[in-house]
Amino acid sequence: MTRLFLSVLPLLLLSVSELMAQAPLPQVLPSRVEDAIRLSTVNLQGSARFMGTGGSMTPIGVDVSTMHVNPAGIGYNRSSYASASVGYTNRSITSLLRGNGTNRGISENTGTITVPNLSFVYTNSSQESDYNSLNFGFSLARIADYNEVIRYSGDSGGSILDALTEDFNDSFFDDFRSNLLNVIDPTLFDNIDVLPQNDRRALLQDEFGYFSDFDFDDAQQAQITRSGTVDRSGSMHEFALSLGGNLDDKLMWGIGLGIPFFSFTETKTYDEVDGRDEVTRFEDASFDEVLTQQGSGANFKLGAIYLPTPAARISLSIQSPTFMTIDETYQTELTYNYTFRDEALGGNARANGQPVIVNLRTPWRFSAGAGYIIGTSGFLSIDADYVNYAGNAFSELDFTLVDEAANADIDATLGSTFNVRAGGEINLNPLQLRFGVGYQTLPSLEPRFDQDESIITYSTGLGYNAGRFFVDVAARYAGRNNAYAPYRTFFVDPNVVDTERTRITGVLTVGYRGF
């Protein structure tokens, strides 16, 4: 069952709150909600031309990257076409642990060489019927990048023991977190009638329930030292097969099959130490997690581009849910050391989960756009899409056994997003100048920890057209302020790490057409 346990608590608490006007939302998003956001969010890189125009070329067509949004775009191609792209992404993350104001930010820079797009279109043009062309194409594109490193350190209040205490008081027993403390201290659930100050157990207990070393009045504001690392790696690619046609230069149509596949690894370390002896009994604690996922799926795309005038274009497309199968392994390790009557107690425990298979159905995706060709001088275009992230649904056994706990978390915490991309191209034959901007809203119903509620991207590019041969370059910039919580809680305030992120991606595309 692996991390399913981490999704059960919010569902239990939400069910208790059915009669309330508004159910409380968890302090930290449940793990399956984070999975759903990650695996259903698409940030298509594509070719340098596509990137340079901000990803807004769907209504213009021709560029093969549009196969991943609207397969009708290849209906514009008058000749066969092949291209290959190589890219490089630099990520910079500055992380600051919230505390007493003395903590300092820690910066991490990482870079990755990528292959954002490989593509081919075969054109079968005909002037003897209303179908001016019938084209077939395929494209392999990078549609998500999971690589990043977060590193933080400093002094602040609270402890992961707050989260463990919350679990026990809510009767939430998780083999991958709270139950590890019971392995470290088998006396934790002993029914012994003694005063808390004489209790040897890792968590203290009285008639009101469990409490920790950090619940005493003199320890609630204690500043202890903590540090941690989040190392994420992986990506998602999609292989798209498309068939598109041109109906009398008035209507372009297309159908497509998308086969996304991904890999993701997340390694998290968290350590806290009471080096100044500010908390009675407590010495140190740590919690480490390793999650690996890989999977693949399939979706279908249907699109059309209509020309009300020779220069104007209107595009519409729809993408079905992606039915994805995920192979997952998860393991954790908890360490807790404390002192009782000058005796060192505690230890560590590990949970190694067995590999499991889960299924995810992502939401429908709806897109629309408009473009205008400015003679031989270039074009302007705008493209938008709508996705309701609450449409994500987890299941098991070939999509037949619904994961009710995870899906309830998704319904309670996620909403819809509306994303817009606009851009254009100026033709200075044989050179082309490109520009673009994108606006992407985030799916959480209630933003946490004052993080940004949207992402803005800026793109620019340059192309060189030498007849059949062409070469394009582009760069994209994205920045965002986000937050990370080292451990999950529902009501208890967790520790929070503010992150300031920037990502710069460059792409080079070379291609040949007219064969």
Side-chain angles (χ1 to χ4, degrees):
M1 299 295 286
T2 314
R3 296 182 306 145
L4 173 59
F5 293 106
L6 297 179
S7 295
V8 175
L9 175 60
L11 177 62
L12 295 176
L13 294 176
L14 287 172
S15 63
V16 173
S17 305
E18 284 180 345
L19 300 180
M20 297 177 62
Q22 181 177 0
L25 297 179
Q27 290 277 16
V28 181
L29 288 176
S31 57
R32 282 298 181 214
V33 175
E34 290 187 341
D35 291 341
I37 294 174
R38 182 173 59 253
L39 296 177
S40 58
T41 297
V42 173
N43 289 302
L44 174 62
Q45 287 191 7
S47 70
R49 189 183 189 193
F50 183 84
M51 177 182 286
T53 57
S56 66
M57 285 196 64
T58 302
I60 302 300
V62 181
D63 190 274
V64 291
S65 300
T66 62
M67 278 194 280
H68 300 274
V69 182
N70 187 342
I74 66 172
Y76 277 121
N77 288 80
R78 304 297 187 183
S79 60
S80 297
Y81 172 113
S83 68
S85 303
V86 62
Y88 179 80
T89 299
N90 178 266
R91 308 165 200 85
S92 176
I93 300 180
T94 299
S95 305
L96 176 64
L97 174 69
R98 293 184 186 179
N100 57 15
T102 62
N103 297 333
R104 295 184 177 182
I106 300 176
S107 296
E108 287 287 334
N109 286 278
T110 58
T112 305
I113 297 176
T114 65
V115 179
N117 188 242
L118 297 172
S119 55
F120 174 82
V121 174
Y122 174 75
T123 300
N124 181 19
S125 298
S126 173
Q127 301 298 328
E128 297 178 358
S129 70
D130 289 340
Y131 287 90
N132 294 341
S133 64
L134 183 63
N135 304 335
F136 169 79
F138 66 83
S139 173
L140 176 65
R142 188 180 182 92
I143 62 173
D145 182 354
Y146 305 134
N147 296 279
E148 64 179 11
V149 177
I150 301 171
R151 200 179 308 276
Y152 58 91
S153 180
D155 295 342
S156 61
S159 168
I160 192 172
L161 295 182
D162 296 332
L164 297 175
T165 304
E166 182 182 66
D167 287 353
F168 285 120
N169 285 326
D170 291 321
S171 299
F172 178 62
F173 306 116
D174 176 12
D175 288 340
F176 292 90
R177 192 171 80 167
S178 56
N179 280 358
L180 294 178
L181 190 57
N182 189 41
V183 175
I184 294 173
D185 183 358
T187 71
L188 191 61
F189 299 123
D190 287 353
N191 293 317
I192 54 177
D193 297 323
V194 295
L195 294 176
Q197 59 264 30
N198 297 323
D199 198 336
R200 288 172 48 93
R201 287 173 288 181
L203 293 185
L204 307 177
Q205 188 181 27
D206 60 15
E207 64 272 23
F208 299 106
Y210 289 93
F211 59 98
S212 76
D213 311 331
F214 289 80
D215 287 319
F216 291 102
D217 291 340
D218 59 351
Q220 290 184 1
Q221 301 302 319
Q223 297 287 300
I224 66 172
T225 300
R226 69 196 78 237
S227 61
T229 302
V230 182
D231 190 343
R232 299 180 174 123
S233 62
S235 61
M236 181 181 291
H237 291 75
E238 182 180 67
F239 182 71
L241 293 169
S242 298
L243 181 69
N246 177 346
L247 181 58
D248 201 24
D249 283 337
K250 292 292 292 183
L251 178 66
M252 312 297 165
W253 60 270
I255 56 176
L257 168 67
I259 304 175
F261 54 95
F262 80 97
S263 64
F264 175 71
T265 300
E266 180 182 63
T267 301
K268 300 195 291 188
T269 65
Y270 173 73
D271 299 280
E272 51 186 37
V273 179
D274 183 16
R276 295 180 293 271
D277 197 23
E278 295 194 13
V279 182
T280 304
R281 302 199 330 160
F282 177 82
E283 299 295 338
D284 61 75
S286 67
F287 186 61
D288 300 334
E289 305 171 76
V290 179
L291 168 68
T292 61
Q293 294 177 326
Q294 59 183 6
S296 60
N299 60 63
F300 295 93
K301 300 177 178 70
L302 178 66
I305 302 174
Y306 176 67
L307 281 65
T309 69
R313 284 106 167 91
I314 299 173
S315 67
L316 294 172
S317 65
I318 183 172
Q319 176 181 306
S320 75
T322 297
F323 292 86
M324 186 173 295
T325 299
I326 305 165
D327 296 310
E328 175 183 287
T329 59
Y330 182 59
Q331 64 185 44
T332 61
E333 183 174 3
L334 174 68
T335 300
Y336 174 44
N337 294 302
Y338 63 101
T339 301
F340 180 75
R341 293 182 179 176
D342 297 326
E343 181 183 359
L345 300 172
N348 75 306
R350 179 192 296 265
N352 294 315
Q354 296 296 318
V356 298
I357 298 176
V358 296
N359 302 305
L360 172 65
R361 186 196 70 219
T362 67
W364 289 86
R365 185 177 298 269
F366 304 93
S367 301
Y372 191 84
I373 307 298
I374 310 172
T376 60
S377 299
F379 64 82
L380 295 172
S381 58
I382 186 170
D383 191 27
D385 57 59
Y386 170 86
V387 182
N388 182 8
Y389 279 73
N392 279 286
F394 283 95
S395 61
E396 301 176 21
L397 298 178
D398 297 328
F399 300 93
T400 58
L401 182 61
V402 175
D403 188 339
E404 294 182 359
N407 297 338
D409 289 340
I410 290 171
D411 292 340
T413 56
L414 298 185
S416 59
T417 64
F418 184 72
N419 310 314
V420 181
R421 298 165 296 278
E425 179 179 275
I426 300 173
N427 185 15
L428 304 174
N429 195 30
L431 297 178
Q432 297 83 41
L433 303 179
R434 299 173 184 125
F435 53 90
V437 62
Y439 176 80
Q440 176 183 352
T441 59
L442 300 178
S444 295
L445 287 174
E446 183 177 291
R448 290 155 175 79
F449 315 126
D450 300 321
Q451 62 188 15
D452 287 347
E453 300 181 39
S454 61
I455 302 173
I456 299 178
T457 61
Y458 302 93
S459 304
T460 187
L462 178 67
Y464 175 75
N465 185 356
R468 294 189 174 186
F469 173 79
F470 62 92
V471 58
D472 301 312
V473 294
R476 174 187 292 168
Y477 169 88
R480 178 190 177 192
N481 293 324
N482 199 0
Y484 164 74
Y487 47 86
R488 302 180 188 280
T489 65
F490 198 88
F491 290 112
V492 175
D493 290 334
N495 271 269
V496 177
V497 179
D498 291 312
T499 62
E500 182 177 336
R501 304 159 182 248
T502 61
R503 178 172 297 195
I504 300 175
T505 302
V507 173
L508 168 68
T509 300
V510 294
Y512 187 81
R513 57 188 163 222
F515 55 90

